[in-house]
Amino acid sequence: MNLFLLLFASVITSNIALSYFLGMCPFVTISKKIDVAAGMGIAVTMVMTLTASANWLIQNLLLVPLGLEFLQFLVFIVTIATIVQILEIVIDRYFPVMYLSFGIFLPLITVNCAILGISLFMVLRSYGFIETVLYSFGSGVGWLLAIVTMGGLRRNLVFSKPLANFGDPGITAIIAGIMALGFIGFTGVSG
Amino acid sequence: MILKALIFSNSFALIIALLLIFMDRVINNYGPCTLTINNDKEVQARGGTTLLRNLFESKYFIPSACGGKGTCGYCKLIVTEGGGSILPTEELMLSSAEKKQGYRLTCQLKVKNNLKLHIPEEYLNIQEYEGKIVISDPVTSDIRRVGIALSTEDEITYKPGQYVQIKIPGSGESDYRAYSMSSCPDEKKQIEINVKLIPDGVGSGYIHSLSVGDELDFSGPYGDFYLREDSHRDIICVAGGVGLAPIKSILLHWQRHNLNRTLWLFYGARSTEDLYDHEIFAELDEREAGLKYFPALSEPDEDWTGKSGFIHSVMDKALPGDVNGEAYLCGPPIMIDAVTEVLVSKGVSDERIWYDKF
């Protein structure tokens, strides 16, 4: 039950995009079209799950026993960069259709703060391995949900006339704020 | 503690690097592939590398100005088999008509299996040449006429108006700069280019620094700016400054082959000093009945007796409204735009205007 709550919280109530406002650059720039947003979201979900799990193993099997926790940032970032690169090569080779839909986003994710954020949160909250897998997967799905919803909302922007002075990113930030308010409504559910 | 941290980070980096090398060699290695070109020739290619790179390695020269970054769009070719779907990085550079015809950006397309592709005839003519400078004369304060002789067994076949890419040796990868040929295509053993020195320019600085006897490499011919010979319309040539080069080639070809078409030559420059080769054209103008020559200076000296003003306004007055012509323009963008406007007002439609902007 606890694990289910953790998953639910990471997708909805503690949504990484809308309650922590992490991973904002792609969230604002790549949310103009639903299909592109979905591609980006899937890429983030995959990379998030893989990197957080790998970083958990490195943290708990190497860094902690060796007493080298202070190398955390360096090691986590290198791990993320490596996994992204390997993922790109493997998907290009064995899943060309997938590569076509979100392959070009993979390199962009290397420096995404949401990805590193999840790895750091899982250490901070001392999650176990299973918890980390669920938490990172859930966070990815949450980010996917948020960016696809944003894509859907922005598609309808053509019917309204937001103040021209805001520009595209401005109105996107305001929409994100209102969406975040909506997501806060779920807070009571996870208690 | 420090030692432990150092050992750990080094071995960590080493393992990561080895892992990536392994992945690149094993997974990203698609093995040798065969490229079938124009249903005729087959060449071997390295899988996992881009099509453009593979073609270069097999000595097929495809125009490319951005160095394979997917931003110039020059390297597109029709791939008939094995190309897979169009990548998002190609979308911007291909029109929907081109997508239907099967055009692909060869700098983005990775060779993963056997490919069938079509290379247009004019690209197949493109070769690499080793040349030697035989002329290097200043014709104005900043423009040099440079003659390049090909090595004894080589010949270059090109159309009047086309350009070559001169190899500029650099510290890293070689750079290429494009220069139009001003020579008559009948001389296959020697080409001539006009090079204007640009402050801090990589290409012009290099070429200006060479003297007679020095060697330089180039490839060509490139470009779809050349004289169309399948028509009988008047030829309207407009040159601004050093844009004279390809126009001169067209003129020389027209004269050599006694083309039975009227040639209008509008040649604009700033001052008498910048109007190089003016004597040649003035003399030709007297001999050739078919040539109508209009030089114009925008900042004329006191002893200048010809027309003054910008070349498009001179042309507006000189060119009759019912002219049945096709136009070849070479010069700065602002000149091209102004001249195009005048031409269209005289009934020369867009598709009969060819230009080279620089």
Side-chain angles (χ1 to χ4, degrees):
Chain A
M1 193 56 197
N2 213 356
L3 288 178
F4 174 74
L5 267 185
L6 178 72
L7 182 65
F8 183 76
S10 56
V11 178
I12 308 278
T13 48
S14 328
N15 188 290
I16 188 85
L18 294 172
S19 58
Y20 291 97
F21 276 77
L22 286 177
M24 276 299 118
C25 0
F27 189 73
V28 172
T29 50
I30 313 185
S31 58
K32 275 186 189 156
K33 286 182 178 168
I34 293 189
D35 49 342
V36 183
M40 186 70 189
I42 295 170
V44 165
T45 310
M46 280 182 77
V47 173
M48 220 175 238
T49 315
L50 285 173
T51 55
S53 315
N55 280 337
W56 187 92
L57 293 173
I58 290 173
Q59 166 80 7
N60 290 290
L61 299 181
L62 286 173
L63 295 181
V64 174
L66 290 170
L68 293 173
E69 289 101 326
F70 63 94
L71 288 177
Q72 212 180 55
F73 278 88
L74 179 75
V75 171
F76 281 8
I77 289 172
V78 172
T79 312
I80 291 169
T82 314
I83 288 181
V84 168
Q85 195 153 9
I86 291 176
L87 207 59
E88 196 190 359
I89 296 174
V90 170
I91 291 180
D92 190 14
R93 173 94 204 219
Y94 299 108
F95 310 97
V97 180
M98 267 163 87
Y99 187 77
L100 212 61
S101 64
F102 66 80
I104 53 162
F105 301 121
L106 283 172
L108 297 177
I109 300 175
T110 321
V111 286
N112 188 321
C113 47
I115 306 283
L116 181 65
I118 292 299
S119 284
L120 295 176
F121 279 150
M122 121 240 139
V123 175
L124 216 61
R125 299 174 185 174
S126 3
Y127 284 143
F129 185 68
I130 304 288
E131 285 169 317
T132 299
V133 173
L134 282 177
Y135 171 63
S136 51
F137 175 72
S139 298
V141 172
W143 200 90
L144 167 69
L145 189 71
I147 194 170
V148 168
T149 314
M150 176 61 90
L153 288 172
R154 286 183 80 176
R155 194 183 52 178
N156 290 317
L157 271 184
V158 290
F159 299 116
S160 60
K161 277 195 193 130
L163 283 178
N165 292 357
F166 281 167
D168 238 13
I171 197 67
T172 308
I174 290 174
I175 295 175
I178 299 171
M179 277 168 70
L181 283 178
F183 273 68
I184 285 177
F186 288 103
T187 313
V189 181
S190 61
Chain B
M1 185 64 168
I2 295 175
L3 189 67
K4 198 156 73 169
L6 278 177
I7 293 174
F8 176 79
S9 19
N10 275 314
S11 34
F12 188 69
L14 185 70
I15 291 169
I16 296 271
L18 287 176
L19 185 67
L20 281 177
I21 292 172
F22 171 80
M23 295 303 272
D24 193 51
R25 285 284 159 83
V26 177
I27 312 261
N28 201 18
N29 182 357
Y30 294 78
C33 304
T34 309
L35 306 179
T36 311
I37 294 165
N38 298 350
N39 285 326
D40 171 29
K41 275 209 182 91
E42 287 191 354
V43 293
Q44 286 302 307
R46 284 191 297 133
T49 314
T50 65
L51 180 56
L52 182 66
R53 216 190 153 81
N54 270 307
L55 288 171
F56 266 117
E57 283 171 10
S58 312
K59 298 281 174 200
Y60 284 96
F61 295 96
I62 310 298
S64 158
C66 65
K69 295 187 188 75
T71 53
C72 74
Y74 289 177
C75 66
K76 52 188 137 190
L77 289 179
I78 296 179
V79 176
T80 46
E81 250 181 70
S85 342
I86 291 176
L87 297 166
T89 41
E90 298 171 67
E91 292 275 352
L92 278 179
M93 287 294 147
L94 299 173
S95 69
S96 50
E98 284 171 337
K99 284 179 199 163
K100 271 189 202 133
Q101 289 171 54
Y103 272 98
R104 300 296 301 267
L105 273 197
T106 55
C107 68
Q108 298 298 312
L109 177 60
K110 223 186 325 180
V111 178
K112 296 178 183 172
N113 40 318
N114 295 346
L115 281 180
K116 283 190 177 171
L117 65 149
H118 183 79
I119 301 182
E121 200 66 37
E122 60 261 33
Y123 292 178
L124 294 177
N125 269 332
I126 301 174
Q127 285 177 36
E128 250 182 333
Y129 297 96
E130 288 171 8
K132 191 185 250 180
I133 294 189
V134 287
I135 305 168
S136 180
D137 295 336
V139 287
T140 75
S141 60
D142 55 2
I143 301 174
R144 249 172 205 276
R145 184 200 316 281
V146 179
I148 305 165
L150 277 62
S151 59
T152 40
E153 66 273 21
D154 275 344
E155 280 192 347
I156 179 167
T157 307
Y158 59 99
K159 296 176 183 154
Q162 287 192 301
Y163 67 91
V164 290
Q165 300 237 47
I166 308 275
K167 191 175 182 178
I168 316 293
S171 47
E173 276 185 24
S174 297
D175 228 339
Y176 289 87
R177 288 291 182 275
Y179 291 98
S180 291
M181 289 173 277
S182 59
S183 38
C184 178
D186 288 18
E187 293 167 35
K188 295 172 188 292
K189 289 286 189 190
Q190 183 174 330
I191 61 162
E192 195 180 282
I193 56 176
N194 300 158
V195 183
K196 181 173 179 170
L197 185 64
I198 312 286
D200 298 324
V202 181
S204 61
Y206 166 70
I207 297 170
H208 273 241
S209 75
L210 298 175
S211 42
V212 172
D214 286 342
E215 288 178 355
L216 91 177
D217 295 339
F218 65 94
S219 63
Y222 296 94
D224 52 10
F225 178 80
Y226 55 80
L227 179 67
R228 267 54 180 183
E229 301 207 52
D230 51 359
S231 97
H232 296 287
R233 297 191 189 91
D234 287 8
I235 304 166
I236 305 166
C237 289
V238 188
V242 73
L244 179 70
I247 302 294
K248 188 179 172 188
S249 179
I250 291 176
L251 178 81
L252 291 174
H253 177 82
W254 169 85
Q255 187 207 6
R256 178 80 60 98
H257 293 266
N258 289 318
L259 297 188
N260 198 14
R261 299 162 69 180
T262 305
L263 194 151
W264 300 75
L265 174 58
F266 297 92
Y267 178 20
R270 194 164 292 162
S271 63
T272 332
E273 201 266 336
D274 295 317
L275 201 72
Y276 69 98
D277 285 350
H278 167 61
E279 301 76 25
I280 303 176
F281 304 134
E283 195 237 334
L284 260 181
D285 191 28
E286 283 177 15
R287 275 198 289 134
E288 299 275 351
L291 176 65
K292 297 180 193 294
Y293 176 45
F294 298 88
L297 297 179
S298 60
E299 295 166 16
D301 324 352
E302 278 169 20
D303 50 353
W304 172 252
T305 51
K307 303 246 182 321
S308 46
F310 287 113
I311 199 67
H312 67 275
S313 45
V314 171
M315 187 176 89
D316 197 17
K317 289 184 199 111
L319 204 62
D322 57 349
V323 65
N324 177 22
E326 55 189 39
Y328 300 89
L329 329 176
C330 186
I334 188 162
M335 182 205 94
I336 307 274
D337 295 342
V339 168
T340 305
E341 210 170 291
V342 173
L343 283 168
V344 170
S345 78
K346 304 258 180 200
V348 180
S349 61
D350 268 339
E351 63 265 27
R352 283 194 271 129
I353 302 176
W354 288 276
Y355 56 80
D356 223 348
K357 276 187 197 180
F358 59 82

